[in-house]
Amino acid sequence: MNLYNNTPGELFFGIESSTGGDCGTIDAGTTADWPSYDNSENVTVTFAAYPFSEPPTITPFSITIPESATGMAVTIGIYTE
């Protein structure tokens, strides 16, 4: 599974399934590749913007993918007008 950050800044990500979880950061315009989540069920991916603050001012965004496949990508972007 590829996680692509199509935003102008660094993002924190979390990815998990019934077999485990991982997390880290993705620089702007780059991809994090997690092939261990290919062909898994109920993979949940969460994104949150940096910098974190106390109390949090930005709610993380998450999506659950019922069935993943090799080469599947999850992309997050920001639209401004």
Side-chain angles (χ1 to χ4, degrees):
M1 174 135 346
N2 294 308
L3 307 179
Y4 180 63
N5 177 4
N6 191 27
T7 72
E10 182 179 48
L11 288 177
F12 171 82
F13 76 91
I15 184 169
E16 64 181 86
S17 69
S18 61
T19 60
D22 295 283
C23 63
T25 59
I26 308 172
D27 290 332
T30 63
T31 301
D33 186 16
W34 289 96
S36 59
Y37 293 92
D38 291 351
N39 305 312
S40 298
E41 293 183 359
N42 296 316
V43 176
T44 300
V45 180
T46 302
F47 296 99
Y50 267 116
F52 294 124
S53 61
E54 293 294 332
T57 57
I58 300 172
T59 303
F61 172 83
S62 70
I63 183 171
T64 299
I65 302 153
E67 291 184 38
S68 64
T70 302
M72 180 175 271
V74 178
T75 303
I76 186 168
I78 295 175
Y79 175 78
T80 60
E81 206 169 63

